[in-house]
Amino acid sequence: MKSYALFKEYIWLVSTICRAGRISLEELNRKWVGADMSEGLPMARSTFNRHKDAIQDIFGIDIECDRRCGFRYYIGNPEVLQEETIQNWMLSTLSVNSVLAESKAVADRILLEPVPSDGENLHKFIDAMKSNVRIDVVYHKYAAEEDSKMTVEPYCVKLFKRRWYALVKSIKHGHYTTLAFDRIKTISLSTDKFTLDADFDAAAWFKECYGIVRDDEKELQTIRIRAFGQEVFYMRDLPLHPTQKEVETADEWSDFEIQIRPTADFFSPLLSRGPLIQVMEPQWLADEIKRQHLGAAGRYE
């Protein structure tokens, strides 16, 4: 069987087990026979076991069996399918690719947004992470007259708003900084090895950020945002941050709270919603959003 067809089956298995929570092989097979890719044929237990092992090897997703409850299968490590994990991103991407590949007849009616690959530099950066070697970077900041050169340690990469970013540790200053891949001119791998800080956790580093800007001088705060009308549904379906929760609901509005260190990049999503939302707390943030709205209105006078 071709690799593409196998990946489709892996995706189907993980998605079906996730939706069911716990499911027996018999129940799984009933669903499988109803799927187009099965061609009406049941999945043999040996095939299921091979798929289960492949899913663990490729995606790091453990499909386990609850023998005490009717030999029902479930995802043993559901945390890897959380929103910002690489496993979830891979599965989502492959799942969408599968749908698109089967939709060639209507390809001209499926419109996509381009996502920069940042090709060779991204590959080099990830290779450096794998080898734990320092890299020499030529970087051009916005509004800078000249390129800057630096030697850094590659710590992690993050995709945010269709752009790739790198978190690096400066050899010269010893602090962490974030670089945008579209502003990296060149990356050269050195032979100098480095040791990742023992307490570094990539997910934890960005956990209290809105996006890729982290400022430890900003206090972690509870941001309360009131959404009006249909914006309530958008806020529910597309949370501003993983910590977002709905805390109060009325007929015409709902209040949402998130826990972040609010930096300037967080102003944009609030400003873009115009009169559809209102920052309730903290007061300084409400004042800042109001000031910027008034400034924007002043441009049209």
Side-chain angles (χ1 to χ4, degrees):
M1 185 181 294
K2 293 182 179 179
S3 297
Y4 172 70
L6 282 173
F7 273 111
K8 287 176 62 179
E9 294 187 9
Y10 301 158
I11 293 164
W12 183 90
L13 271 176
V14 173
S15 300
T16 302
I17 294 172
C18 277
R19 286 195 299 268
R22 274 173 161 74
I23 189 170
S24 68
L25 189 57
E26 181 181 358
E27 293 168 330
L28 194 66
N29 243 325
R30 282 200 294 268
K31 293 179 181 293
W32 168 251
V33 170
D36 291 340
M37 70 183 80
S38 74
E39 298 182 349
L41 300 176
M43 181 181 292
R45 180 178 290 275
S46 58
T47 301
F48 171 76
N49 287 333
R50 285 196 300 271
H51 284 9
K52 182 166 65 71
D53 293 341
I55 289 168
Q56 203 286 325
D57 289 340
I58 297 170
F59 300 109
I61 299 171
D62 299 327
I63 298 176
E64 299 184 3
C65 181
D66 187 346
R67 300 174 184 274
R68 297 172 298 178
C69 188
F71 290 85
R72 302 175 76 81
Y73 292 91
Y74 64 98
I75 304 299
N77 53 343
E79 66 278 1
V80 302
L81 293 176
Q82 292 175 354
E83 191 168 316
E84 295 187 356
T85 62
I86 191 169
Q87 290 93 340
N88 190 46
W89 185 82
M90 288 172 64
L91 278 171
S92 298
T93 301
L94 287 169
S95 180
V96 171
N97 285 344
S98 176
V99 171
L100 294 178
E102 295 179 349
S103 307
K104 293 179 181 178
V106 291
D108 60 333
R109 291 155 56 194
I110 300 175
L111 308 179
L112 306 174
E113 289 186 341
V115 177
S117 65
D118 292 296
E120 191 62 28
N121 283 337
L122 180 59
H123 285 295
K124 286 182 178 179
F125 191 93
I126 292 175
D127 285 343
M129 287 199 299
K130 292 177 181 177
S131 303
N132 281 342
V133 294
R134 292 169 176 162
I135 56 176
D136 298 315
V137 176
V138 177
Y139 193 72
H140 188 85
K141 293 183 178 179
Y142 285 148
E145 294 184 0
E146 298 181 352
D147 297 339
S148 57
K149 299 179 181 180
M150 62 189 86
T151 300
V152 296
E153 297 171 349
Y155 266 63
C156 77
V157 295
K158 180 178 174 67
L159 181 64
F160 180 68
K161 301 294 186 185
R162 297 168 43 225
R163 300 175 78 180
W164 285 101
Y165 295 88
L167 180 68
V168 299
K169 186 175 183 181
S170 169
I171 300 303
K172 184 177 181 180
H173 303 290
H175 60 66
Y176 296 97
T177 189
T178 303
L179 306 177
F181 268 95
D182 57 358
R183 279 169 266 161
I184 295 176
K185 293 290 192 70
T186 63
I187 290 179
S188 301
L189 276 65
S190 74
T191 56
D192 296 335
K193 290 278 188 176
F194 75 95
T195 301
L196 201 69
D197 289 347
D199 59 350
F200 178 76
D201 182 320
W205 177 265
F206 289 105
K207 183 179 180 180
E208 296 172 354
C209 307
Y210 167 66
I212 49 88
V213 178
R214 170 167 161 158
D215 185 350
D216 290 335
E217 293 184 2
K218 300 287 186 182
E219 294 182 1
L220 179 65
Q221 296 185 47
T222 298
I223 313 297
R224 189 175 181 116
I225 299 166
R226 179 164 294 176
F228 300 92
Q230 292 192 352
E231 189 66 19
V232 171
F233 301 106
Y234 288 104
M235 289 283 287
R236 287 172 181 162
D237 291 342
L238 296 171
L240 283 172
H241 192 262
T243 61
Q244 180 178 302
K245 59 182 180 180
E246 191 168 349
V247 294
E248 189 174 353
T249 302
D251 291 339
E252 298 181 356
W253 53 264
S254 285
D255 280 2
F256 299 86
E257 287 185 351
I258 61 176
Q259 301 282 331
I260 63 169
R261 299 176 186 268
T263 46
D265 61 332
F266 182 55
F267 299 162
S268 293
L270 300 178
L271 290 164
S272 68
R273 286 167 161 82
L276 300 176
I277 67 163
Q278 179 183 356
V279 176
M280 308 302 290
E281 297 175 4
Q283 188 59 47
W284 73 265
L285 181 57
D287 292 341
E288 176 61 22
I289 296 302
K290 178 181 178 180
R291 184 188 70 79
Q292 294 201 28
H293 273 310
L294 291 174
R299 295 281 187 185
Y300 296 90
E301 291 180 354

